[in-house]
C-alpha cells in the first residue's frame, strides 16, 4: 500500500496544533476517502520540549510565581496516543529542503547523531521564529533557555540597574514584571521608536507607559542599542545617539526573525517569510506545501493567527489530498482577525490591551492573561486536547 508522508516542520504552537488535528481528524478521514493509501505524519522538532514562551516575562522574573516545570513539557509524551504506523517524531533541526527530490535534511540538535533525510509527500511549514535572546525562544536544546531563565532569576535580586531594549509586548511586559517584584532596581525601557506597543492605538501605548512609569520604569523613546559588550558581570550597551550605558542586566527584547533559512529562496518574501498564495487556504509557494504561524507570510504575529488557522489549514489539506473522494467536504476559508487584538500585562495586577477592537480595562487584562499567562493551556497544547473536536 502506498504511504503518503505528511511532514510538519516545527513543534511550537502552530506545529503541535496542526499535527494533532491532522492525526485526530484529517488522516482518519483521508484513509476512508482513499482506501488504497496509508497516511503518516512525521513531526520534525528542533527540541525535545515545548516551551510556553508567552509566559517568559514572568518566568524570568521569579522562580516562585510559575514553576519552570509547567512551562516546559516533553513533546513525545503528548503523542503517546498515536501508533507508530501513523506517527513519527524526529528530533533535529531542518537545515535544508530539496524541492525537486522532496527531501528535508535534519541535523541532530544535540550533536550526537549524523544528519538524516526525511522524504515528504506533503509538507507543512510551521518552523516559527527566533529571537536574539534565548529567553524568548529555544536555541537548540531547551536546556539553554532554562539556563538563561534561571540565570536571570538569580541575577535580579542583586541587580541595581536593568536595561531592556524593545518596546513591544515582550519588553513592556518584562519591565512591569521586574519593576513590580524589585521596586528598588533602576529599570530603563528603550522603546526603539516614538512609543510603546505600535500594534495598538497610541492611547493604549500611552496607557502602558503610564502604568510602567507608575511602577518606576523609565521609558525612553527614539533610542536604540547598537551593540553590547560584557565586562565581568556587567554589560555596556552602545546607543544610537553615540552614548553608552553600563548596567547589571541587559535584556534584548527587540523582535523576531522567521526560521526559514533552510527553505528555497524562491519560497520566501524579501523579509524571509514563507509565501502564502492566498490567506484563506494557507497554501504555500508550491503544490503540496502549506504554511502556518510566525514563519508564514500571512501572519501578523498574534496568537489568533495560529489558533484560528489550524482547522482551515487542515481542511485545505484534506480537500487537496482527497480530491474527488472528498465527499462534498470543502475547504473552510481562514478568516484572519485584523481588528486590534493584543493583551499586555504590566505586572501581575493588570495591564493594557484590546480585544477585537474593544479597549479593555486593566482588570480584564488581569483576568484573561496577567494572572496566569495562560499556563493552564500548556498541557492541552502538547497533548492536542485543544483540538478534540473537528
Amino acid at each position: 500500500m502506498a504511504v503518503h508522508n505528511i511532514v510538519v516542520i516545527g513543534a511550537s504552537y502552530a506545529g503541535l496544533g496542526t499535527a494533532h488535528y491532522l492525526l485526530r481528524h484529517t488522516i482518519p478521514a483521508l484513509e476512508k476517502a482513499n482506501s488504497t493509501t496509508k497516511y503518516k505524519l512525521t513531526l520534525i522538532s528542533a527540541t525535545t520540549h515545548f516551551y510556553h514562551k508567552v509566559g517568559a516575562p514572568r518566568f524570568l522574573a521569579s522562580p516562585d510565581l510559575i514553576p519552570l516545570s509547567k512551562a516546559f513539557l516533553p513533546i513525545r509524551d503528548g503523542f503517546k496516543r498515536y501508533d507508530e504506523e501513523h506517527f513519527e517524531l524526529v528530533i533535529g533541526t531542518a537545515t535544508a529542503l530539496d524541492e525537486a527530490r522532496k527531501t528535508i535534511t535534519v541535523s541532530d540538535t544535540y550533536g550526537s547523531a549524523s544528519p538524516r533525510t526525511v522524504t515528504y509527500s506533503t509538507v507543512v511549514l510551521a518552523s516559527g521564529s527566533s529571537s536574539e535572546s534565548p529567553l524568548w525562544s529555544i536555541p537548540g536544546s531547551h536546556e539553554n533557555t532554562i539556563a538563561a531563565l534561571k540565570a536571570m532569576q538569580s541575577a535580579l535580586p542583586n541587580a541595581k540597574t536593568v536595561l531592556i531594549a524593545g518596546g513591544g509586548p515582550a519588553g513592556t511586559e518584562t519591565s512591569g514584571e521586574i519593576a513590580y517584584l524589585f521596586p528598588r532596581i533602576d529599570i530603563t525601557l528603550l522603546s526603539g521608536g516614538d512609543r510603546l506597543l505600535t500594534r495598538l492605538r497610541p492611547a493604549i501605548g500611552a496607557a502602558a507607559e503610564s502604568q510602567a512609569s507608575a511602577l518606576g520604569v523609565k521609558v525612553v523613546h527614539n533610542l536604540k542599542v547598537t551593540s553590547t559588550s560584557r565586562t565581568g558581570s556587567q554589560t555596556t550597551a552602545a546607543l544610537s545617539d553615540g552614548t553608552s550605558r553600563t548596567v547589571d542586566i541587559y535584556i534584548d527584547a527587540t523582535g523576531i526573525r522567521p526560521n526559514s533559512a533552510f527553505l528555497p529562496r524562491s519560497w520566501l518574501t524579501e523579509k524571509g517569510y514563507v509565501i502564502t498564495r492566498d490567506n484563506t487556504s494557507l497554501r504555500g509557494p508550491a503544490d503540496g506545501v502549506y504554511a502556518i504561524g510566525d514563519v508564514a507570510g500571512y501572519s501578523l504575529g498574534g496568537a489568533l493567527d495560529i489558533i484560528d488557522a489550524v482547522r482551515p489549514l487542515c481542511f485545505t489539506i484534506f480537500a487537496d489530498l482527497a480530491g474527488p473522494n472528498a465527499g462534498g467536504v470543502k475547504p473552510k476559508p481562514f478568516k484572519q482577525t485584523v481588528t486590534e487584538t493584543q493583551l499586555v500585562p504590566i505586572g501581575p495586577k493588570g495591564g493594557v490591551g484590546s480585544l477585537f477592537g474593544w479597549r479593555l480595562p486593566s482588570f480584564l487584562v488581569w483576568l484573561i492573561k496577567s494572572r496566569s499567562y495562560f499556563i493552564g493551556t500548556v498541557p492541552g497544547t502538547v497533548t492536542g486536547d485543544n483540538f478534540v473536536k473537528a
Side-chain angles (χ1 to χ4, degrees):
M1 183 179 291
V3 177
H4 187 106
N5 191 23
I6 303 174
V7 177
V8 177
I9 304 177
S12 191
Y13 302 97
L16 289 178
T18 301
H20 278 296
Y21 195 97
L22 289 170
L23 285 162
R24 283 177 179 266
H25 307 294
T26 309
I27 286 178
L30 283 170
E31 291 188 339
K32 288 181 180 179
N34 298 325
S35 59
T36 60
T37 301
K38 177 66 67 177
Y39 291 87
K40 175 185 176 182
L41 186 138
T42 300
L43 177 63
I44 299 175
S45 174
T47 180
T48 58
H49 283 61
F50 168 76
Y51 173 38
H52 182 57
K53 61 183 180 180
V54 170
R58 184 154 299 166
F59 304 152
L60 67 84
S62 171
D64 302 322
L65 298 177
I66 302 177
L68 292 183
S69 59
K70 292 185 176 182
F72 294 85
L73 293 183
I75 293 168
R76 191 175 299 278
D77 289 354
F79 288 83
K80 287 181 177 179
R81 74 180 72 231
Y82 309 114
D83 60 67
E84 294 181 358
E85 192 176 49
H86 289 98
F87 175 73
E88 180 182 5
L89 175 63
V90 175
I91 301 299
T93 302
T95 55
L97 185 147
D98 188 317
E99 181 180 4
R101 293 183 173 87
K102 289 194 170 184
T103 59
I104 302 157
T105 302
V106 182
S107 298
D108 182 12
T109 304
Y110 301 87
S112 59
S114 300
R116 63 173 290 185
T117 299
V118 176
T119 301
Y120 69 87
S121 309
T122 295
V123 64
V124 178
L125 305 173
S127 48
S129 57
S130 298
S131 58
E132 290 298 325
S133 170
L135 295 169
W136 320 115
S137 59
I138 297 180
S141 169
H142 71 287
E143 295 290 350
N144 296 330
T145 295
I146 291 177
L149 291 168
K150 287 184 174 180
M152 189 65 63
Q153 293 170 351
S154 298
L156 282 170
N158 300 314
K160 294 181 180 179
T161 53
V162 172
L163 176 64
I164 303 171
T172 304
E173 292 177 24
T174 299
S175 73
E177 292 293 321
I178 295 175
Y180 182 86
L181 290 175
F182 304 99
R184 59 173 181 76
I185 297 180
D186 183 347
I187 304 169
T188 301
L189 173 63
L190 304 182
S191 72
D194 56 8
R195 65 184 182 92
L196 298 178
L197 306 175
T198 56
R199 289 190 177 179
L200 293 171
R201 72 193 77 168
I204 298 179
E209 181 173 346
S210 178
Q211 289 188 26
S213 298
L215 291 172
V217 178
K218 299 180 180 67
V219 181
V220 179
H221 300 297
N222 299 310
L223 192 62
K224 296 181 179 181
V225 174
T226 57
S227 65
T228 61
S229 59
R230 293 276 294 180
T231 304
S233 63
Q234 292 188 309
T235 299
T236 298
L239 304 177
S240 56
D241 64 356
T243 65
S244 63
R245 185 174 302 189
T246 299
V247 294
D248 295 323
I249 295 176
Y250 169 67
I251 299 175
D252 187 335
T254 52
I256 61 174
R257 59 183 180 276
N259 294 328
S260 61
F262 66 98
L263 295 172
R265 191 64 191 86
S266 61
W267 287 13
L268 307 177
T269 67
E270 289 185 4
K271 293 185 177 181
Y273 293 91
V274 178
I275 295 168
T276 44
R277 282 180 279 176
D278 65 80
N279 290 353
T280 58
S281 72
L282 307 182
R283 293 184 179 95
D287 291 343
V289 178
Y290 307 84
I292 185 172
D294 287 354
V295 78
Y298 78 87
S299 177
L300 301 176
L304 293 180
D305 279 344
I306 297 172
I307 296 170
D308 293 346
V310 169
R311 287 181 176 85
L313 168 62
C314 294
F315 267 83
T316 296
I317 292 173
F318 174 79
D320 288 351
L321 297 185
N325 299 323
V329 176
K330 297 180 180 179
K332 293 187 176 182
F334 167 56
K335 297 179 180 179
Q336 189 169 33
T337 297
V338 295
T339 52
E340 182 185 56
T341 296
Q342 195 172 69
L343 304 178
V344 184
I346 313 291
K349 299 296 183 180
V352 302
S354 177
L355 193 61
F356 306 118
W358 293 90
R359 182 172 176 176
L360 300 180
S362 181
F363 168 75
L364 283 182
V365 177
W366 169 82
L367 184 67
I368 298 170
K369 183 176 180 181
S370 179
R371 61 174 175 166
S372 68
Y373 269 92
F374 306 120
I375 197 67
T377 67
V378 176
T381 298
V382 176
T383 62
D385 288 348
N386 297 337
F387 292 101
V388 172
K389 296 182 178 180

